[in-house]
Every structure is written in structure tokens, then in C-alpha cells.
Amino acid sequence: MSEALNSEGAYLVLNAIPNIGPITTNRLLQNFDGDPLRIFTASARELESVNGVGPVISKTVREWQSHFDLEKEQDKLAKTGV
């Protein structure tokens, strides 16, 4: 997990990485007490205990940095004033 990942960043990552839609995101958040950071520190086993999360989604979450450039996205948001 990147040191720069905070709650806001975790939500951005969840929204952008492949294989995870809103239903799966909601299930993950419910399972991890609404804390998006806990999703990114969870083990594969913990992630896969969530309904609808299998090895592909678990791997995507654990390797999110290869799917999403958080710093680049945060820079873009800052420049647009979002």
C-alpha cells in the first residue's frame, strides 16, 4: 500500500480500478466497516470472504498500483478544482 493512500485516495482507487463496480464496492465497504483503507490492507482471504469477490478482484485490489496512477489522478483533480 502506498504511503500516500488516504481515505479520499482509496475511494478514487475503488472507483477506477477494473473488475469492481458499485455493488462490489458497497459490499467491500460494508464488510470492512465503511473504511476504504482497510480494503487495501486486507489479505486475499479476507477480501475473498466478501460475496462476489474472487481471486481476480482480490488480486486487482492488492495490486491496485499497477492499474491506477493515484498521484496523476489527484494532480488532475487539483488542477480542475474538484
Side-chain angles (χ1 to χ4, degrees):
M1 181 175 73
S2 169
E3 289 181 41
L5 190 61
N6 57 24
S7 291
E8 179 183 291
Y11 283 119
L12 287 172
V13 173
L14 281 171
N15 189 52
I17 56 177
N19 306 317
I20 299 177
I23 292 172
T24 302
T25 297
N26 285 332
R27 287 178 181 162
L28 285 164
L29 287 167
Q30 286 174 345
N31 192 76
F32 293 100
D33 300 321
D35 183 352
L37 292 174
R38 285 190 56 208
I39 295 168
F40 293 98
T41 59
S43 68
R45 184 179 187 154
E46 290 171 313
L47 292 168
E48 292 170 22
S49 72
V50 177
N51 184 26
V53 176
V56 171
I57 292 175
S58 172
K59 184 176 180 180
T60 300
V61 169
R62 289 179 292 112
E63 297 176 2
W64 68 268
Q65 291 168 317
S66 65
H67 302 284
F68 184 72
D69 186 338
L70 179 59
E71 185 176 337
K72 181 179 175 182
E73 190 64 27
Q74 287 174 324
D75 287 345
K76 233 169 51 174
L77 291 172
K79 287 177 184 174
T80 61
V82 175

